[in-house]
Amino acid sequence: MGSVSLKIGNGTARFKRSTLFSSAINLLMLFSIVTTNLFALYAFSSRSQSHTPHPLHSNNVSLVSQHLSLILREIDSSHRTLSLMEKQMIGFESLDLSHQEVPQELKLFLQQHQLPLGKDSRTGITHMVASVGHSCEMSIDLLSQYMAYNVFEKCPDDWSLAQKLILRACEPLPRRRCLAKTVQKTGLTWFPDSLWRPVSNSSVNWSGLGCKSFECLKGKKLSRDCVGCFDLATSHEKDRFVKVKGKTDFLIDDVLGLSDGKIRIGFDISSGSGTFAARMAEKNVNIISNTLNIDAPFSEFIAARGVFPLFMSLDQRLPFYDNVFDLIHASNGLDIAASNKPEKLEFLMFDLDRILKPGGLFWLDNFYCGNDEKKRVLTRLIERFGYKKLKWVVGEKTDVEVYLSAVLQKPARI
């Protein structure tokens, strides 16, 4: 219900969490010391009162009262600091809105709203705070452009700006009160014919893209999983998953046969044009395809084929409940650890494991390892999850290129 922390400086979330934890310990130590001093002063005061009054007694009482007032002020200050830390830890921070370039619409969206019935007994919160990605603070200039619009009028044609913010980890983005640009979807056909019919150029928003037609995209290598993938008439795209071209290629029928007919819904994070989802749709399996419009209109093209695109980066927590998917299909879209930090891949793998049901299949499809060391790192990571290896094939297409394909079954953990 709260927002993700925005003021993290140049550190990481893990660094901030440890810093907050250390600060909390320090406050607890301070509170203990103050409490001990209070008891000591109370004992001193009681003992003084039990003896014969001393000429300096009144002065001592006055001095003790001053000390008590000072200690009480310190305790009150500590309580306020601890309360602020608790709010920060649950996300009750706000973006620094003092910049002149920040539009009023963004300030209004990020404003805290008090709960009408006061403090919520279950969560302990008193205000609702809008969810905004923590890295938005590092892109305040772009975020200000994104939120600069006329309320209740047409939104600027700036989807590419929104995607740029997402790729900078400014996710989730703040919602807007403007009407998105509409593009007439002409020439769409009924399902399942739509799975392999060409998509009209006029049914796609080409703004912000280098190519302005699907003819321009033909033959282009947009990623390892998308080489001319928008040309559905070519054998390269039509034969995928139904014909074997190399030893690391698995057929859909063979993979489905490993599950005893228990595959109904799945999640695909390969960076293609929806062909995997189309082939699975022919087998009555519903697939959600992760998309980003990197150099091409992937989202609209996949939707035009009659399958489900999900526009999001893989750096955020996947918006699905635990143990819901029967199948996860991943290829080179899995390789988000471009910075050679294995922890980044681990974060994604643990989230994929979370949404895959026990007994579900994880299909790693022609994952480019680059070299044996990268393959060993991925292999060790997979083995730590305890998946059963139903299929495991390593192929070398050149002297330096190593590809891994595997079908793994998630164990039931008690």
Side-chain angles (χ1 to χ4, degrees):
M1 297 175 68
S3 70
V4 180
S5 175
L6 292 168
K7 294 185 179 178
I8 63 171
N10 295 324
T12 62
R14 180 174 59 184
F15 174 80
K16 179 174 181 181
R17 181 176 296 177
S18 62
T19 303
L20 288 174
F21 182 77
S22 300
S23 301
I25 294 297
N26 292 335
L27 279 176
L28 288 176
M29 292 177 63
L30 175 62
F31 182 78
S32 299
I33 293 173
V34 170
T35 304
T36 303
N37 288 335
L38 277 175
F39 279 115
L41 287 170
Y42 176 79
F44 172 79
S45 176
S46 300
R47 186 174 181 180
S48 298
Q49 292 176 5
S50 64
H51 288 77
T52 304
H54 192 274
L56 299 179
H57 177 69
S58 59
N59 292 335
N60 289 338
V61 172
S62 176
L63 182 61
V64 169
S65 299
Q66 293 177 12
H67 279 294
L68 284 174
S69 298
L70 178 61
I71 291 172
L72 290 174
R73 285 197 298 270
E74 290 293 337
I75 292 176
D76 185 61
S77 176
S78 299
H79 276 303
R80 289 197 300 269
T81 303
L82 184 59
S83 177
L84 177 61
M85 289 174 58
E86 290 175 347
K87 289 181 179 181
Q88 292 173 348
M89 293 177 71
I90 63 175
F92 277 16
E93 282 187 292
S94 61
L95 191 65
D96 183 7
L97 303 179
S98 61
H99 298 284
Q100 294 182 352
E101 63 269 24
V102 175
Q104 180 62 30
E105 189 71 3
L106 180 57
K107 295 179 180 179
L108 181 63
F109 179 81
L110 294 177
Q111 183 179 354
Q112 296 186 14
H113 300 281
Q114 188 172 1
L115 297 181
L117 300 180
K119 183 177 180 179
D120 183 78
S121 60
R122 292 177 299 174
T123 62
I125 66 173
T126 58
H127 293 74
M128 291 294 295
V129 185
S131 296
V132 177
H134 70 277
S135 293
C136 290
E137 185 178 25
M138 295 183 291
S139 302
I140 188 65
D141 53 340
L142 298 181
L143 186 62
S144 297
Q145 294 179 41
Y146 175 75
M147 293 299 289
Y149 58 88
N150 296 322
V151 178
F152 291 108
E153 295 186 9
K154 292 183 178 179
C155 294
D157 190 6
D158 58 357
W159 73 263
S160 56
L161 173 62
Q163 180 170 271
K164 186 180 295 184
L165 282 166
I166 291 174
L167 292 174
R168 291 188 178 189
C170 182
E171 187 178 38
L173 287 171
R175 291 190 290 268
R176 304 197 292 186
R177 297 184 297 167
C178 58
L179 303 174
K181 178 182 178 180
T182 57
V183 177
Q184 295 294 332
K185 306 296 182 180
T186 59
L188 297 182
T189 55
W190 293 101
F191 187 87
D193 292 339
S194 60
L195 294 174
W196 300 102
R197 288 292 181 88
V199 178
S200 171
N201 291 324
S202 60
S203 65
V204 173
N205 180 14
W206 295 95
S207 65
L209 297 175
C211 282
K212 304 301 180 184
S213 67
F214 289 113
E215 288 73 20
C216 173
L217 294 174
K218 286 184 179 180
K220 285 196 172 185
K221 183 179 180 180
L222 300 173
S223 68
R224 289 187 177 274
D225 300 323
C226 183
V227 181
C229 64
F230 288 93
D231 190 357
L232 303 181
T234 63
S235 59
H236 173 77
E237 200 65 16
K238 297 199 74 170
D239 291 345
R240 293 187 67 189
F241 310 112
V242 293
K243 290 185 179 180
V244 173
K245 295 183 179 180
K247 70 175 185 177
T248 56
D249 293 333
F250 298 158
L251 301 181
I252 281 182
D253 287 337
D254 293 342
V255 174
L256 293 179
L258 299 173
S259 65
D260 299 325
K262 296 180 181 179
I263 303 296
R264 304 155 301 144
I265 57 174
F267 183 51
D268 178 28
I269 59 174
S270 60
S271 52
S273 59
T275 293
F276 177 77
R279 284 300 181 194
M280 293 298 281
E282 293 175 336
K283 305 294 182 180
N284 295 319
V285 178
N286 296 314
I287 298 292
I288 296 176
S289 301
N290 170 245
T291 66
L292 278 173
N293 287 358
I294 306 296
D295 299 325
F298 286 96
S299 297
E300 290 174 289
F301 189 86
I302 291 174
R305 299 182 73 174
V307 288
F308 195 108
L310 181 64
F311 187 79
M312 58 169 285
S313 73
L314 294 174
D315 283 325
Q316 72 163 348
R317 186 180 189 270
L318 299 172
F320 307 112
Y321 194 64
D322 302 352
N323 308 312
V324 295
F325 286 107
D326 306 310
L327 171 71
I328 292 178
H329 175 259
S331 53
N332 291 293
L334 182 68
D335 189 16
I336 63 170
S339 58
N340 294 321
K341 292 184 178 180
E343 294 85 1
K344 194 167 186 180
L345 180 59
E346 288 177 8
F347 275 114
L348 176 57
M349 286 293 295
F350 272 95
D351 212 24
L352 293 173
D353 174 81
R354 177 184 63 81
I355 65 175
L356 183 63
K357 75 172 188 180
L361 301 183
F362 181 81
W363 180 354
L364 188 61
D365 184 12
N366 280 287
F367 181 78
Y368 173 67
C369 295
N371 51 55
D372 285 330
E373 176 59 27
K374 189 172 182 179
K375 178 178 71 69
R376 283 193 292 269
V377 170
L378 180 62
T379 300
R380 286 195 296 265
L381 176 59
I382 290 175
E383 289 175 346
R384 294 181 66 180
F385 287 96
Y387 282 31
K388 181 180 180 180
K389 296 179 181 179
L390 304 180
K391 281 179 171 287
W392 186 276
V393 178
V394 177
E396 298 180 0
K397 296 190 176 181
T398 66
D399 294 336
V400 296
E401 290 188 336
V402 180
Y403 288 82
L404 172 64
S405 289
V407 178
L408 312 166
Q409 189 173 40
K410 178 181 176 178
R413 305 187 186 104
I414 300 177

